[in-house]
Amino acid sequence: MVLEKVSKHITHKLCILNDEVEVVSSFKYYLGTVIDDKLNWKENTKLVTTNCYKRQYLLRRLKKFHVCNRILTLFYESVILSVLTFNAIVWFNNLNQQCMKKVQRISKSAKKIIGNDIKKSDEVVNNKLTNKLKVIMSDVSHPLNQYITLSRSGRITYPRWNTERLRRSFLPSAMRHFNLMWKR
């Protein structure tokens, strides 16, 4: 798969070790994530939400069997939320509004089933972003460590991001969330 700014049809052949590489528009199931050539996450969102809805059926069945809310919450967090937030630090902040609504609908419907407060997907993803950023900050040999500079107040200073896609990618999103948590 070739990722380019402008959608061009590739006329030259791509070879690695004298083997021609097939050019595809999307690559499915790379560690459970669907990646396409435009970095559009619609297919991935469809796959994730479909898997979560299948698991929500089991949550509804447990509710019908009068299982206590604590176990329903545990089931939601371990079976549904884990699928929903897997690899989410890569794709979650780049979702368009339509896909974001689909993802948030899963948490809303699970909240209606369980009946009490549950962890929302965006909160879990933001916590994962912050934790991953802290790991990167503590590891001097990490390649992204060079882009993270702390001010005297302990907040992270932002470098200039050229495109909106880059602004919504992992590192800027993690920095933004880290600084928001720093205010609290």
Side-chain angles (χ1 to χ4, degrees), residues 2 12 15 17 33 40 44 49 74 76 78 88 97 99 105-106 114 130 138 141 152 157 160 165 170 181:
V2 178
H12 60 279
C15 294
L17 298 174
T33 305
N40 183 344
N44 185 60
T49 53
L74 183 64
Y76 166 74
S78 59
Q97 284 185 331
C99 292
R105 192 175 303 139
I106 296 200
I114 296 172
T130 305
S138 65
S141 65
R152 285 184 281 166
T157 56
R160 274 219 188 281
R165 176 175 283 162
F170 162 71
M181 290 191 59

Side-chain angles (χ1 to χ4, degrees), residues 7 15 44 51 64 75 79 81 101-102 112 140-141 151 157:
S7 62
C15 294
N44 185 60
N51 286 336
K64 280 187 179 182
F75 181 85
V79 176
L81 194 61
K101 284 181 183 178
K102 288 180 182 179
K112 287 179 184 177
V140 181
S141 65
S151 65
T157 56

Side-chain angles (χ1 to χ4, degrees), residues 8 31 35 43 51 84 91 93 98 107 119 125 134:
K8 297 176 185 175
L31 295 176
I35 303 171
E43 280 187 63
N51 286 336
L84 188 62
W91 55 265
N93 287 313
Q98 181 183 11
S107 295
K119 293 180 183 177
V125 171
K134 288 177 182 176

Side-chain angles (χ1 to χ4, degrees), residues 59-163:
L59 185 66
R60 283 189 203 93
R61 297 300 294 170
L62 289 173
K63 181 70 174 181
K64 280 187 179 182
F65 294 137
H66 304 291
V67 175
C68 71
N69 283 350
R70 189 175 63 98
I71 294 177
L72 290 175
T73 304
L74 183 64
F75 181 85
Y76 166 74
E77 289 175 359
S78 59
V79 176
I80 298 172
L81 194 61
S82 64
V83 170
L84 188 62
T85 59
F86 178 73
N87 270 346
I89 61 174
V90 175
W91 55 265
F92 190 81
N93 287 313
N94 278 315
L95 293 178
N96 59 21
Q97 284 185 331
Q98 181 183 11
C99 292
M100 186 65 80
K101 284 181 183 178
K102 288 180 182 179
V103 170
Q104 290 173 343
R105 192 175 303 139
I106 296 200
S107 295
K108 286 181 184 178
S109 61
K111 183 178 179 180
K112 287 179 184 177
I113 294 168
I114 296 172
N116 60 354
D117 285 339
I118 57 173
K119 293 180 183 177
K120 294 181 182 176
S121 56
D122 55 344
E123 293 170 358
V124 174
V125 171
N126 287 334
N127 287 338
K128 285 185 175 190
L129 282 172
T130 305
N131 292 340
K132 188 66 175 174
L133 184 66
K134 288 177 182 176
V135 168
I136 292 170
M137 289 168 59
S138 65
D139 184 8
V140 181
S141 65
H142 195 284
L144 291 177
N145 187 291
Q146 64 183 344
Y147 298 107
I148 302 170
T149 55
L150 293 173
S151 65
R152 285 184 281 166
S153 66
R155 294 175 52 120
I156 298 175
T157 56
Y158 297 127
R160 274 219 188 281
W161 310 113
N162 296 333
T163 62

